[in-house]
């Protein structure tokens, strides 16, 4: 005897009309950044000329006796729901026969999979998960229209789960969000909303790099590509990025070494020594050094070495050494390296340390320490889709009075009161995005550019009142690391062009004139 488990509602015109041709499907999902090789492979594998696109709203009525009663948002779960809601038995049977009813033929292996790949035999593509709660869910999807021939959907479902996967452990859509990494990843890949705007990267303007680290020399408009394994260090003049230059690798065999640039030249910090060179890489001096991070301005000098943190207040002349534990820092050289730990002095002349584990430490001018855990402070506000979100944390100073912290738990703002505020929901309301990897201020346009979501560029005003979301004209989500760790580079060159990276190890350029012209005609995000 069938049991009613779902109540359904739907919008059958999210793409403007219910039935779409293959080119119309491509034109629609392009606005979600999904016009990729993966999409075209899907449309080739399921070679139908006519497709239906709808937003399905699912409300769980009765939970299964052996489950928590939560509803999933993946292709298998939606296919199961859809299959049990047809008005005619013939249409339902046709779908069962096509995908192999009760044959458990879906296999799922998320690691290394493309971000939007369905199960190999699943003819349903989830474009966007528009809502996800414990007992309700909604998503925009499309699938071949053949199963809607002479059929309708009922307002209720009497279906149980028809489609499963071979191994019980792969039934990840039944797991809770706070425990299931794969389910959260699936959700995160499908949160970004429809965006009408497009922007182009400059053709051929790419620079390959190694790992996730680069060094930008703003004095000479250069970018360095450190690689501790190589005998030579590559660098590029950004005004002539197609020409690769090489110099002696002063960071050879020093994986966590780093570079400081100045008007006079460079300082190369390795595991054991400090080399100072002029701008042409002629060595001026060499000395023993255990420095793993350093910051200096007119008010402070801060040095991290193998013993702890040495701080000097230049105004008072007072000095103090802290143990790493006093600032909630680990003793790991990797965690304290400039690529992982940011040191910044704000308008109050307090020193801010921000890096691993979303810990924030602030030392004021009297050496009083305030330690904060963002995850503990905002435990109730952090959305479940951030669970096990692996991205490199970024610290971005809008000004000495305002800083942004882009983390794997959301985006936070730090003001002159030095009390962090969570602004993730505010950004989501004006952009439709939830994942923000990097940010940079645009003084010319009086706003902020973000690298966000599934390879999107986002612009907001400084007060976060309006947001503009841009898809790239060429869309590619095929990088092998796309479902694993995510990091982003974002910087200006001296010509005002924007360079960025996301997912892969390639810097890409967006011309200043492209940014300005496309923003001028862009449509602001609206729900």
């Amino acid at each position: 005897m069938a049991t009613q488990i779902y109540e359904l509602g739907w919008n059958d015109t999210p793409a403007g009309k219910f039935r779409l041709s293959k080119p119309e499907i491509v034109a629609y999902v392009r606005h979600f950044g999904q016009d990729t090789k993966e999409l075209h492979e899907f449309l080739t594998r399921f070679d139908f000329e006519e497709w239906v696109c709808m937003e399905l709203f699912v409300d769980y009525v009765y939970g299964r006796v052996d489950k928590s009663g939560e509803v999933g948002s993946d292709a298998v779960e939606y296919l199961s729901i859809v299959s049990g809601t047809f008005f005619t038995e013939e249409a339902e049977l046709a779908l069962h026969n096509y995908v192999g009813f009760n044959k458990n033929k879906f296999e799922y292996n998320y690691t290394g999979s493309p971000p939007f790949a369905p199960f190999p035999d699943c003819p349903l593509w989830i474009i966007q998960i528009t809502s996800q709660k414990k007992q309700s869910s909604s998503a925009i999807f499309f699938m071949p229209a053949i199963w809607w021939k002479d059929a309708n959907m009922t307002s209720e479902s009497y279906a149980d789960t028809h489609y499963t996967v071979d191994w019980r452990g792969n039934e990840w859509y039944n797991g809770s969000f706070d425990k299931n990494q794969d389910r959260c990843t699936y959700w995160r890949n499908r949160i970004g909303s429809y965006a009408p705007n497009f922007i182009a990267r400059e053709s051929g303007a790419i620079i390959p790099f190694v790992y996730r680290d680069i060094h930008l020399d703003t004095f000479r408009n250069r970018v360095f590509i450190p690689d501790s394994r190589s005998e030579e260090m590559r660098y590029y003049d950004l005004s002539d990025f197609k020409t690769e230059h090489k110099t002696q690798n002063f960071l050879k065999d020093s994986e966590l070494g780093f570079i400081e640039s100045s008007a006079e030249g460079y300082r190369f910090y390795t595991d054991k020594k400090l080399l100072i060179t002029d701008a042409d890489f002629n060595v001026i001096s060499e000395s023993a050094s255990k420095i793993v991070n350093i910051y200096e301005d007119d008010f402070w000098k801060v040095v991290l070495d193998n013993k702890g943190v040495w701080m000097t207040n230049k105004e008072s002349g007072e000095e103090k050494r802290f143990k790493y534990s006093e600032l909630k820092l680990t003793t790991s050289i990797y965690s304290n390296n400039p690529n992982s730990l940011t040191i910044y002095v704000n308008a109050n002349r307090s020193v801010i340390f921000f890096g691993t584990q979303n810990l924030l430490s602030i030392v004021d001018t009297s050496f009083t320490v305030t330690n904060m855990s963002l995850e503990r402070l905002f435990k109730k506000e952090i959305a479940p889709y951030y669970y096990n979100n692996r991205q490199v944390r970024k610290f971005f100073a809008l000004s000495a009075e305002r800083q942004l912290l882009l983390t794997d738990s959301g985006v936070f703002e730090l003001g002159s009161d030095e009390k962090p505020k969570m602004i993730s929901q505010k950004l989501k309301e004006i952009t439709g995005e939830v994942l923000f990897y990097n940010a940079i201020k645009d003084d010319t346009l009086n706003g902020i550019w973000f690298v966000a979501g599934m390879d999107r560029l986002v612009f907001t005003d400084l007060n976060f009142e309006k947001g503009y979301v841009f898809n790239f004209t060429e869309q590619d989500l095929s990088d092998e690391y796309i479902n694993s760790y995510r990091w982003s580079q974002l910087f200006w060159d001296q010509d005002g062009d924007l360079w960025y990276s996301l997912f892969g190890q390639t810097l890409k350029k967006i011309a200043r004139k492209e940014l300005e012209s496309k923003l001028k005609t862009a449509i602001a995000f609206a729900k």
Side-chain angles (χ1 to χ4, degrees), residues 223-387:
V223 62
F224 286 82
I225 314 298
D227 182 356
S228 62
R229 301 168 301 178
S230 176
E231 294 294 331
E232 298 175 303
M233 182 180 293
R234 291 186 293 125
Y235 69 94
Y236 297 82
D237 291 323
L238 293 173
S239 58
D240 181 23
F241 55 83
K242 292 185 178 180
T243 303
E244 178 185 88
H245 302 275
K246 292 182 180 180
T247 186
Q248 178 183 343
N249 189 0
F250 298 103
L251 302 181
K252 178 79 167 64
D253 298 324
S254 182
E255 184 178 348
L256 299 176
F258 63 98
I259 308 169
E260 277 190 317
S261 303
S262 68
E264 292 75 30
Y266 302 101
R267 299 168 74 92
F268 295 91
Y269 292 87
T270 74
D271 299 339
K272 299 178 181 179
K273 59 187 177 181
L274 165 64
L275 291 103
I276 301 175
T277 75
D278 62 19
D280 296 319
F281 310 108
N282 298 304
V283 177
I284 297 172
S285 67
E286 181 177 332
S287 59
S289 172
K290 294 290 185 180
I291 294 174
V292 298
N293 201 336
I294 188 169
Y295 176 93
E296 187 170 5
D297 65 7
D298 293 338
F299 310 110
W300 285 97
K301 182 173 182 179
V302 182
V303 176
L304 281 70
D305 57 21
N306 59 338
K307 296 180 180 179
V309 182
W310 183 265
M311 300 184 67
T312 303
N313 185 321
K314 291 185 175 181
E315 286 188 312
S316 66
E318 205 175 346
E319 297 180 341
K320 187 167 184 177
R321 177 176 282 279
F322 290 96
K323 296 179 181 178
Y324 280 124
S325 58
E326 293 179 87
L327 301 179
K328 300 300 180 184
L329 300 174
T330 73
T331 56
S332 164
I333 296 176
Y334 177 85
S335 299
N336 296 329
N337 182 273
N339 293 314
S340 301
L341 178 69
T342 299
I343 305 170
Y344 181 79
V345 175
N346 66 11
N348 301 331
R349 297 183 184 174
S350 297
V351 182
I352 299 171
F353 297 84
F354 179 70
T356 58
Q357 301 176 347
N358 290 333
L359 297 174
L360 185 66
S361 298
I362 301 177
V363 182
D364 67 16
T365 54
S366 61
F367 294 96
T368 301
V369 178
T370 303
N371 294 316
M372 291 171 275
S373 167
L374 297 176
E375 291 181 353
R376 289 182 182 178
L377 284 173
F378 299 95
K379 184 177 181 180
K380 295 182 179 179
E381 299 174 51
I382 296 173
Y385 43 70
Y386 284 112
Y387 171 73

Side-chain angles (χ1 to χ4, degrees), residues 20-23 25 42-52 98 123 142-147 149:
L20 303 173
S21 65
K22 192 180 293 188
I25 283 290
F42 175 88
L43 293 173
T44 300
R45 186 163 70 251
F46 304 104
D47 190 17
F48 299 94
E49 290 303 317
E50 192 176 36
W51 300 75
V52 293
Y98 186 84
F142 67 89
M143 65 186 299
I146 186 172
W147 295 292
K149 296 289 187 182

